[in-house]
Amino acid sequence: MPEVYKNYINGEWVASKTGQTFENRNPANTDEIVGVFQKSDKNDVETAVQAAQDAYKKWRLVPAPKRAEILYRVAQLLVERKEKFANDMTREMGKVLNETRGDVQEAIDISYFTAGEGRRLHGQTTPSELRNKFQMSIRQPLGVCAMITPWNFPMAIPSWKMIPALVCGNTVVIKPATDTPLSVVNFIKTMEEAGMPKGVVNMVTGTGSGVGDPLMHHPAIKVVSFTGSSEIGQVVSKACAPDFKHCSLEMGGKNAMMVMPSAKLELAVDGALWGAFGTTGQRCTATSRIIVHKDVYKPFLDKFVERVKKLRVGNGLDPNVDMGPAVNQSQLENDLRYIEIGKKDGGKLLYGGERLTGGAYDKGFFLMPTVFADITQKMTIWREEIFGPVVSVAMCDSLENAIEMANDSLYGLSASIYTQDINEAFVAMRDVYTGIFYVNSPTIGAEVHLPFGGTKATGNGHREAGHQALDVFSEWKSIYVDFSGTLQRAQIDA
Ligand code: UN1
């Protein structure tokens, strides 16, 4: 019998009031039920928000260094459980074990780094223009924060949101993606064991319409932090607008890697493989466009395709496998639909393009790594985010042309350049309009202590991770203390 997991509300594991559940199946073997989860609705959301509101009264007054001590403990416990949690994550969403280990590691890293903010949370002090007057700015928490998280980084992304919110003194209600609730359950259990007071963190599982929607509209929610598609990001943004909820959105990408004539081609090929097919291409930072200078176009493509052919696709628990399945049936169908569009639009399919079948493949959502070449800027597969192992390669004839092509996108998350020419690297660093840029590595692999996020349709100006994450989960208060004993008027009295 598969295990049944409950919601976590006010420090208790409780069944949904709906009495309904949903199954979470392994995308590499759909015979395997990873767990059964609560199919919750607005009544569960209501109870969770209420619990978080009550807990906020005390939690905001816990000294930040003490809040942080619990977060350090979370990090320590995650270290101990890394292997088990990585295993669960591969079973629920398919990416290979090395990558799910990295996902848990990212949660560890953000927890250690952000817990350090408990002893900083820096504001400023400045001199006053008046005598005998002191002034400073401090960060204050906002209240209950809602988190709506995706399935591709099932523990890392929830941690990017929850840990900064908590260190600032907010309380949390999280709705995990329906494909990956187990990783969030694992994270929440770790928090519980680390001594998180009841009600500070709450989790409600279920669908976007059942849980996400009432959560983002709830009047007591002060911040909504969302990662997912730009389409749903608009829905979240509109839900937040009427009562001016703070809203932090992390959305799509169509990330370009540029390969210049001076590039080390083997290095660029290594980078392209990792950037395009890591996480089965299911990253908002995935390298989905490769722009290659005409002088090295053919040799790059030859080497690249030769290596793509050697990628082993299969169950991510097998250490010999390089690439796991698509996360679910509809993602697989979406990938195949884009492949058809790519062919119809005249893209040259160099490799892949088909679902893998036969034997164990029949039990999962496996797709061949797919390479399209000779792509032009108007083609749909060059413009739209696919979120699968499908990469498009196009030719450019200069650095300026490459930068123009890289920038010609709705999105602005990440980009990269392969070059040995330092001048080219600096021009590209300056002129590609994205939130993240890499030199001589692919478009993926952000570390937790720099801000993460993008321009244009990728985001709405906020950043996750780094100390910038604190800006989403705190508000400034400027405080003036007049100890002159007389009325002093700023801007008026000399
Ligand atoms: C994502 O692409 O959805 O920078 C998140 C990276 C990872 C996080 C990616 N650290 O590739």
Side-chain angles (χ1 to χ4, degrees):
M1 277 295 281
E3 193 163 342
V4 179
Y5 296 90
K6 296 188 174 155
N7 288 331
Y8 188 66
I9 299 176
N10 206 21
E12 309 281 339
W13 294 93
V14 289
S16 164
K17 293 171 189 159
T18 63
Q20 291 177 357
T21 56
F22 65 94
E23 284 174 355
N24 176 10
R25 286 180 186 258
N26 181 344
N29 173 11
T30 51
D31 286 349
E32 183 192 343
I33 301 176
V34 176
V36 171
F37 294 83
Q38 304 301 307
K39 191 169 178 191
S40 316
D41 73 1
K42 61 177 189 311
N43 295 316
D44 304 299
V45 169
E46 187 56 45
T47 326
V49 173
Q50 189 61 53
Q53 255 185 307
D54 289 347
Y56 177 64
K57 292 180 197 137
K58 283 193 185 150
W59 180 247
R60 77 181 183 91
L61 299 176
V62 174
K66 296 289 167 199
R67 294 197 291 255
E69 276 172 24
I70 301 176
L71 304 179
Y72 277 121
R73 179 95 187 110
V74 169
Q76 285 166 339
L77 292 172
L78 288 176
V79 170
E80 286 169 23
R81 287 157 201 190
K82 182 170 168 181
E83 203 52 32
K84 155 94 174 76
F85 289 174
N87 211 282
D88 281 350
M89 197 186 291
T90 295
R91 284 168 50 236
E92 74 173 344
M93 58 73 73
K95 65 183 174 185
V96 299
L97 259 183
N98 254 340
E99 291 188 36
T100 51
R101 288 186 188 114
D103 196 304
V104 180
Q105 187 59 44
E106 207 159 334
I108 295 167
D109 294 344
I110 203 90
S111 301
Y112 275 129
F113 171 72
T114 310
E117 291 295 344
R119 288 192 182 267
R120 291 188 291 269
L121 286 178
H122 290 151
Q124 57 177 162
T125 63
T126 66
S128 167
E129 65 192 47
L130 294 165
R131 288 170 191 270
N132 294 325
K133 194 178 167 198
F134 176 83
Q135 51 203 36
M136 62 188 158
S137 62
I138 60 163
R139 287 185 186 275
Q140 54 186 339
L142 288 98
V144 185
C145 303
M147 275 125 208
I148 301 175
T149 55
W151 47 261
N152 66 335
F153 278 79
M155 194 175 283
I157 292 181
S159 76
W160 294 359
K161 298 184 189 304
M162 285 200 275
I163 302 288
L166 293 169
V167 84
C168 288
N170 304 284
T171 55
V172 165
V173 179
I174 184 169
K175 179 205 120 39
T178 44
D179 283 307
T180 53
L182 181 55
S183 294
V184 176
V185 165
N186 284 338
F187 195 42
I188 300 274
K189 279 189 177 159
T190 307
M191 290 189 164
E192 181 181 34
E193 209 171 309
M196 197 63 76
K198 68 186 178 101
V200 171
V201 168
N202 305 274
M203 180 200 69
V204 182
T205 57
T207 60
S209 55
V211 177
D213 201 57
L215 191 55
M216 67 179 93
H217 283 98
H218 197 293
I221 295 291
K222 302 299 177 198
V223 182
V224 179
S225 176
F226 165 80
T227 299
S229 69
S230 297
E231 197 187 337
I232 304 294
Q234 284 185 339
V235 173
V236 176
S237 194
K238 284 179 190 154
C240 292
D243 44 2
F244 310 107
K245 283 184 177 65
H246 291 207
C247 153
S248 160
L249 306 172
E250 233 355 280
M251 302 169 287
K254 194 71 193 174
N255 314 289
M257 167 192 286
M258 303 178 281
V259 183
M260 293 295 113
S262 68
K264 292 193 167 160
L265 277 196
E266 295 294 344
L267 188 66
V269 167
D270 281 342
L273 280 174
W274 174 227
F277 303 119
T279 323
T280 317
Q282 301 171 133
R283 291 196 189 213
C284 39
T285 51
T287 304
S288 51
R289 298 186 293 152
I290 307 182
I291 301 166
V292 188
H293 193 278
K294 60 180 185 325
D295 292 355
V296 287
Y297 189 73
K298 185 160 181 338
F300 172 85
L301 269 182
D302 290 348
K303 284 181 204 290
F304 182 50
V305 172
E306 192 189 306
R307 293 279 301 282
V308 175
K309 285 181 182 161
K310 292 193 185 128
L311 288 175
R312 291 154 302 188
V313 182
N315 188 324
L317 291 177
D318 176 347
N320 295 316
V321 160
D322 300 306
M323 191 178 97
V327 70
N328 56 34
Q329 175 89 32
S330 74
Q331 185 61 52
L332 176 73
E333 283 167 7
N334 179 69
D335 299 345
L336 289 166
R337 185 172 63 82
Y338 272 110
I339 289 166
E340 285 317 306
I341 294 173
K343 289 197 271 193
K344 213 168 91 243
D345 285 353
K348 189 163 157 198
L349 181 62
L350 289 187
Y351 186 71
E354 271 163 47
R355 181 173 186 170
L356 287 159
T357 51
Y361 284 142
D362 287 341
K363 301 256 184 218
F365 308 119
F366 295 97
L367 181 64
M368 291 172 81
T370 298
V371 182
F372 277 100
D374 301 352
I375 293 300
T376 60
Q377 273 167 273
K378 286 209 167 61
M379 290 184 190
T380 304
I381 58 168
W382 187 256
R383 308 205 69 82
E384 294 184 10
E385 183 175 47
I386 301 174
F387 226 66
V390 182
V391 67
S392 298
V393 187
M395 191 195 283
C396 70
D397 52 26
S398 65
L399 176 66
E400 290 64 35
N401 182 207
I403 292 173
E404 179 270 315
M405 288 168 79
N407 280 335
D408 178 24
S409 170
L410 195 61
Y411 302 106
L413 182 52
S414 179
S416 89
I417 188 166
Y418 278 80
T419 180
Q420 292 299 110
D421 179 333
I422 193 162
N423 298 339
E424 276 187 348
F426 269 88
V427 169
M429 265 186 249
R430 184 191 60 196
D431 291 346
V432 176
Y433 180 48
T434 53
I436 305 172
F437 193 79
Y438 293 89
V439 177
N440 290 327
S441 39
T443 58
I444 67 175
E447 301 179 27
V448 302
H449 42 303
L450 280 183
F452 180 96
T455 62
K456 300 188 271 184
T458 298
N460 62 340
H462 294 283
R463 292 292 182 268
E464 306 207 82
H467 66 84
Q468 286 78 359
L470 303 175
D471 295 337
V472 173
F473 298 109
S474 63
E475 259 189 316
W476 288 110
K477 182 185 277 174
S478 297
I479 301 177
Y480 300 91
V481 184
D482 191 319
F483 54 99
S484 70
T486 54
L487 172 68
Q488 302 194 84
R489 295 169 301 175
Q491 293 94 34
I492 294 171
D493 293 332

